[in-house]
Amino acid sequence: MAAPKLQAPRGTYDVLPEVAPARLALESIARRVLEGAGYERIETPVFEATELFSRGVGASTDIVQKEMYTFTDAGGRSLTLRPEGTAPICRAYVEHGMQVRSQPVKLWYLSPFFRHERAQAGRFRQFWQIGAETIGTDDPAVDAESIALLWAILAELGVGGIELRLGSLGTSATRASYREELAAYLRAHQQRLSPEVVARIDLNPLRAFDADHPGTREVMADAPVLMDALAAEDREHFEEVRKRLDAAGIAYRLDPTLVRGLDYYARTVFEFTSDVLGAQSAVGGGGRYDGLVEQLGGPHTPGCGWAAGVERILLSAEQRPLPRAVCDLYVAGTGVPAFALAAEARQAGLNVQVELAGRSRKGQRKQADRVGAGFVAVVEDDGSIVLEDVVNGESEAAPGASAAVAHILKGRHL
Ligand code: HAM
């Protein structure tokens, strides 16, 4: 009996060669935009101490409560596959004393992350994010620049139907007193609310803003909003961010109910959605996290950043893959002299493909056309070489491997 076939785990996928060009295009555009703005690449480990996320992302968030891949290693340590990148990067900032570098420290990443969520279109258990973090200043210019850079990347990639939602959460003290105010308002209008909303008044009064129930929606239309409760300096900070976005011509919708699934945010929060995506419409999001570095044991250090989902970008972007690598030379022949020619040509910087499937001469010639080779070298086991220039169809015998390589180099640069 044949052994049963195995499949990739639920919520994961293989990056097959046919989608590699689109991912490469995405990476090269992100790199050009971010490195052009002075961001440097960082990679942190795929797993971290579980405590980093319970402390950094927040013990009561869905991510920490329900979605982490947590395991105990042979040394008895609790480790977690990273569900996000901001807490690990702030951990690295503290661990490597990056506060002594010139501030702000500007870092970017393109990495896989893991969340045990219900898998569906656009939502995976292993997914990739491009992200950028700017640590070391609370200047509102950073918030605006972070948004502008993500905007530029999404625009260049041709992500369709984009909307930017923008809000400010103020400080945690502002949020705590606002929650009390909102809960009191909801209690005063209890009889018009849905039973589910009433049941969550103390647990999470903000959820009432998302309800579809008609009575609840009426009540919420007049509910107090957090942005009206901001302290003067937070309000001013937010005004400065908005002025810069306006000056850069970046359109946004103010969303006083924008809540993000991570606890570290303070002041500015934002999210880009695409109406091409259906239910999982968030392409990328982020905000300011001024207390996070301190919470992880570092000095008080403000920060701001974002991350965008690679799968969702690819689902919503026009496909404009990069052209594939050119094949300068196809070596027809499988003997030792053929191998030596391929090696010499590669050392000279040519892109070379070699016959590996034991095809007939005719089959090899067809394969050379399939890969779009500029030259084909038919190499016999006695070392004789016939070189064909595919463009003009001319063939000639080459006196040796070095002569053949020199001829191709000359032809390539004509
Ligand atoms: P996040 O909103 O949780 O933020 O994730 C950012 C983006 O990652 C989402 O907008 C979405 O495109 C993508 N994403 C999240 N979960 C999944 C999933 N299960 N499957 C596919 N894509 C997903 C953060 O992670 C913050 N660290 C962003 C940040 C950086 N804030 C400040 N700096």
Side-chain angles (χ1 to χ4, degrees):
M1 209 174 72
K5 284 187 186 153
L6 295 171
Q7 290 183 331
R10 192 173 172 72
T12 70
Y13 61 93
D14 298 305
V15 179
L16 296 175
E18 42 283 23
V19 296
R23 294 175 76 97
L24 196 61
L26 186 154
E27 177 170 357
S28 72
I29 288 171
R31 169 181 292 132
R32 183 162 42 68
V33 171
L34 293 169
E35 294 190 352
Y39 285 74
E40 295 175 293
R41 183 91 178 237
I42 183 166
E43 286 299 339
T44 58
V46 165
F47 56 84
E48 294 267 3
T50 301
E51 190 190 350
L52 172 63
F53 302 111
S54 46
R55 260 211 266 163
V57 173
S60 65
T61 57
D62 276 359
I63 293 181
V64 171
Q65 292 266 306
K66 304 192 261 192
E67 296 171 2
M68 297 207 302
Y69 283 94
T70 296
F71 59 98
T72 306
D73 77 358
R77 284 166 288 256
S78 179
L79 299 171
T80 292
L81 297 185
R82 57 183 175 192
E84 66 98 47
T86 312
I89 288 174
C90 288
R91 191 263 312 133
Y93 180 93
V94 175
E95 185 170 336
H96 302 290
M98 291 195 214
Q99 65 273 13
V100 305
R101 300 186 185 193
S102 130
Q103 304 290 298
V105 172
K106 302 195 288 186
L107 303 166
W108 79 281
Y109 51 97
L110 173 59
S111 325
F113 295 90
F114 307 86
R115 295 184 194 174
H116 191 275
E117 293 194 81
R118 211 158 41 80
Q120 60 186 85
R123 195 202 265 158
F124 298 90
R125 291 181 175 170
Q126 173 176 330
F127 56 98
W128 289 68
Q129 288 184 342
I130 315 172
E133 312 289 350
T134 309
I135 307 175
T137 165
D138 64 0
D139 195 313
V142 169
D143 310 42
E145 186 176 67
S146 301
I147 293 170
L149 291 172
L150 178 51
W151 178 270
I153 292 170
L154 297 178
E156 193 165 339
L157 284 165
V159 174
I162 281 282
E163 184 182 52
L164 167 60
R165 291 154 66 211
L166 182 70
S168 177
L169 301 179
T171 58
S172 56
T174 307
R175 286 200 296 282
S177 70
Y178 167 73
R179 268 172 77 108
E180 289 304 314
E181 186 191 348
L182 180 62
Y185 173 84
L186 292 175
R187 261 183 236 110
H189 295 86
Q190 239 184 76
Q191 65 290 357
R192 292 164 63 201
L193 302 174
S194 75
E196 298 82 58
V197 168
V198 173
R200 296 181 70 95
I201 289 182
D202 291 316
L203 213 60
N204 191 353
L206 284 163
R207 280 279 164 89
F209 283 108
D210 300 332
D212 287 330
H213 176 259
T216 307
R217 290 180 69 96
E218 274 170 39
V219 171
M220 296 322 287
D222 295 322
V225 293
L226 177 56
M227 268 195 260
D228 292 338
L230 296 183
E233 65 270 24
D234 296 334
R235 191 188 305 271
E236 215 170 281
H237 188 274
F238 193 47
E239 284 307 313
E240 292 299 320
V241 176
R242 292 181 57 189
K243 275 188 211 161
R244 284 165 178 76
L245 294 177
D246 293 341
I250 295 176
Y252 55 83
R253 180 163 67 81
L254 274 188
D255 186 348
T257 65
L258 179 59
V259 273
R260 308 242 324 115
L262 307 106
D263 276 354
Y264 47 60
Y265 292 113
R267 292 185 160 174
T268 315
V269 283
F270 57 92
E271 202 155 81
F272 284 90
T273 54
S274 163
D275 63 13
V276 188
L277 282 174
Q280 302 306 315
S281 65
V283 179
R288 183 161 275 292
Y289 45 85
D290 290 348
L292 180 55
V293 171
E294 206 168 354
Q295 222 168 309
L296 298 177
H300 173 72
T301 313
C304 181
W306 51 263
V310 166
E311 294 78 12
R312 294 188 194 173
I313 291 177
L314 292 176
L315 280 170
S316 54
E318 293 163 28
Q319 296 300 314
R320 283 182 292 191
L322 293 177
R324 65 176 182 183
V326 202
C327 174
D328 299 309
L329 171 65
Y330 188 87
V331 179
T334 52
V336 175
F339 196 85
L341 170 62
E344 186 166 341
R346 284 190 180 127
Q347 269 167 22
L350 295 172
N351 290 339
V352 182
Q353 294 196 33
V354 197
E355 170 55 31
L356 295 172
R359 292 183 182 85
S360 66
R361 278 278 182 260
K362 210 167 132 204
Q364 294 181 16
R365 187 62 192 76
K366 267 200 195 138
Q367 179 65 7
D369 281 342
R370 230 175 270 138
V371 303
F375 286 85
V376 181
V378 177
V379 188
E380 304 298 346
D381 287 352
D382 67 3
S384 66
I385 301 172
V386 175
L387 196 60
E388 181 195 343
D389 181 332
V390 175
V391 178
N392 62 21
E394 281 170 18
S395 289
E396 60 182 296
S402 304
V405 170
H407 184 81
I408 296 167
L409 283 171
K410 220 165 25 137
R412 201 168 71 139
H413 293 119
L414 282 180

